Amino acid sequence: MPSESGLRADARRNSEQIRAAAIGAFQGRGLTVPLEEVARAAGVSKATIFNRFGGRIGLIEAVIEEVVATELFAVIDRTRAIDDTGEQIAYYLTELRDLQYRQPAVNDVLLQIYPHSPQLMEICRVGSEANEELVAAARAAGAVRPEFTAGDLHALVVDNALALKHGERPARDAYDRRTAYLLDGIRR
């Protein structure tokens, strides 16, 4: 594929429209939105998406930074900046669950719905490392139950992703109340 700067003006405009449509669709409804809908929103044909991006995986990889990675990595960075380990785990879980609630695409990434996407798998790897680091520090500081593991945290996050993706979406106040129950359950 030619670089963006090597494209004709109309092809470059089509690529920008496709990216904008994909970002809006993926943020609002997740990474499984039909490509026909993305194409319609961009004012192009589905074939144009395949021409420019090679299909769904290529399109996801072209926009995943804006759709998921930037916000997720910011949560990880802000968590690491908190001095108190107990506050770290509370902040991280609260913010991650908030992100899962607001951004359906986050759940698709966490569920590894497109395992052939190197970028999605890299996001998962970074998230797993952050989980391990956070739980190890919380256990060492006595901020969580001694039997709580990074595997437990992973399971809680994935279970939440499955519930949000395939279950009935709870009201926000009920969801936040369940986040508080979760935090109470893992604290020492």
Side-chain angles (χ1 to χ4, degrees):
M1 259 186 250
S3 70
E4 287 295 311
S5 61
L7 293 176
R8 295 183 330 257
D10 61 331
R12 192 169 39 255
R13 184 181 61 250
N14 283 347
S15 291
E16 291 166 5
Q17 289 171 323
I18 292 166
R19 282 179 47 78
I23 290 168
F26 293 161
Q27 283 179 333
R29 296 185 27 227
L31 302 178
T32 58
V33 171
L35 290 183
E36 293 84 3
E37 291 183 30
V38 175
R40 191 171 29 259
V44 301
S45 70
K46 183 177 169 183
T48 303
I49 292 175
F50 277 85
N51 243 358
R52 286 299 314 132
F53 297 97
R56 179 177 302 278
I57 299 294
L59 181 57
I60 288 170
E61 291 193 343
V63 299
I64 200 64
E65 190 73 28
E66 293 96 330
V67 175
V68 172
T70 300
E71 211 167 346
L72 180 60
F73 293 162
V75 168
I76 292 169
D77 289 343
R78 287 191 303 266
T79 299
R80 288 178 174 148
I82 298 170
D83 291 329
D84 181 86
T85 308
E87 287 178 29
Q88 275 186 335
I89 194 99
Y91 176 84
Y92 181 73
L93 271 171
T94 302
E95 291 299 308
L96 183 56
R97 284 179 54 90
D98 175 66
L99 191 55
Q100 286 183 274
Y101 191 85
R102 291 184 296 103
Q103 292 285 9
V106 169
N107 296 313
D108 291 335
V109 171
L110 295 171
L111 293 171
Q112 300 180 2
I113 203 155
Y114 294 108
H116 300 298
S117 167
Q119 283 183 280
L120 267 63
M121 298 313 292
E122 177 62 12
I123 293 168
C124 290
R125 185 194 65 74
V126 170
S128 290
E129 284 181 1
N131 289 351
E132 289 174 17
E133 170 189 314
L134 180 61
V135 171
R139 286 178 66 177
V144 294
R145 294 171 177 250
E147 68 275 12
F148 187 70
T149 68
D152 294 328
L153 177 56
H154 176 78
L156 292 170
V157 169
V158 168
D159 289 350
N160 190 48
L162 286 167
L164 288 170
K165 184 160 181 72
H166 300 293
E168 188 174 320
R169 187 174 186 80
R172 185 61 199 236
D173 61 334
Y175 185 79
D176 291 342
R177 188 176 64 248
R178 291 172 191 142
T179 298
Y181 294 153
L182 172 65
L183 288 169
D184 288 345
I186 68 170
R187 287 186 178 122
R188 188 173 189 123

